[in-house]
Amino acid sequence: MIRVLFVCLGNICRSPMAEAVFRQMVKEEKLETEIEVDSSGTGDWHVGEPPHHGTRDLLAQKQIPYDGLRARQVTVHDWEKFDYIIAMDDQNIKDLRKLKAGNDNIVVAKLMDYVQNAGESNVPDPYFTGDFDYTYKLVKAGCANLLTYIKVVNGL
Ligand code: 4NP
């Protein structure tokens, strides 16, 4: 099993969006038995909450299921469980490195590292921008390329 964890700050806007979008793509490719998906936040303010209504509305509009998603905070144990920890921005990477530094035998990267022509190296936070559509456009492109990458690297 290949395990993928998406990480943002609050785990209510961007990373649950990425989790839901990526899971849907994995399902469409019939890879649910090969790839497991989760998300978490570096902060703890929203632990236990469902995704932000902006993310819920967007996912509903795209007919992407998000049932049961609840915010949780990332822990050091996630480094033992996951093969790919995919952050939304530079600050997430810094915070993740504070939690666990050193050489890990896993991939810790940003979602936009997988999109070369987006003109963005971070996924803008719609909690502050209010633009969930633009964030979705980037998340969708990132997830599609990440899945292609994981398939190639793991021979799926
Ligand atoms: P997210 O957005 O990291 O994409 O989930 C945020 C959600 C909540 C807060 C910040 C960012 N907050 O400060 O509560």
Side-chain angles (χ1 to χ4, degrees):
M1 183 68 95
I2 297 153
R3 295 186 171 89
V4 181
L5 179 70
F6 294 100
V7 175
C8 64
L9 177 58
N11 194 210
I12 55 169
C13 294
R14 294 166 295 172
S15 61
M17 186 189 290
E19 178 184 349
V21 167
F22 194 72
R23 182 175 290 118
Q24 176 92 335
M25 289 176 178
V26 165
K27 193 174 172 209
E28 278 165 8
E29 303 238 2
K30 300 196 179 355
L31 289 170
E32 306 103 300
T33 56
E34 310 286 340
I35 303 176
E36 192 180 300
V37 196
D38 194 4
S39 69
S40 66
T42 57
D44 65 358
W45 311 284
H46 299 281
V47 167
E49 292 178 20
H52 188 282
H53 62 83
T55 288
R56 292 205 307 268
D57 290 350
L58 184 131
L59 292 171
Q61 186 194 327
K62 307 290 179 194
Q63 297 182 319
I64 299 172
Y66 58 85
D67 316 338
L69 292 192
R70 288 286 182 277
R72 74 169 179 89
Q73 190 174 26
V74 69
T75 84
V76 285
H77 302 297
D78 287 323
W79 268 259
E80 287 145 33
K81 178 170 179 190
F82 292 93
D83 306 292
Y84 295 85
I85 297 184
I86 306 296
M88 297 298 133
D89 62 35
D90 292 317
Q91 188 61 48
N92 303 150
I93 294 282
K94 280 187 201 154
D95 292 338
L96 285 166
R97 288 293 173 208
K98 268 187 240 159
L99 194 65
K100 176 112 170 49
N103 292 330
D104 305 304
N105 198 20
I106 65 167
V107 174
V108 179
K110 287 191 299 177
L111 188 60
M112 287 300 103
D113 293 344
Y114 298 89
V115 185
Q116 301 312 319
N117 56 356
E120 301 278 5
S121 62
N122 296 311
V123 178
D125 192 340
Y127 189 79
F128 302 111
T129 68
D131 193 344
F132 286 83
D133 290 309
Y134 182 54
T135 291
Y136 172 72
K137 193 179 146 201
L138 296 174
V139 163
K140 188 178 165 193
C143 285
N145 290 356
L146 175 64
L147 183 53
T148 300
Y149 176 81
I150 288 175
K151 281 169 62 181
V152 169
V153 169
N154 295 279
L156 298 175

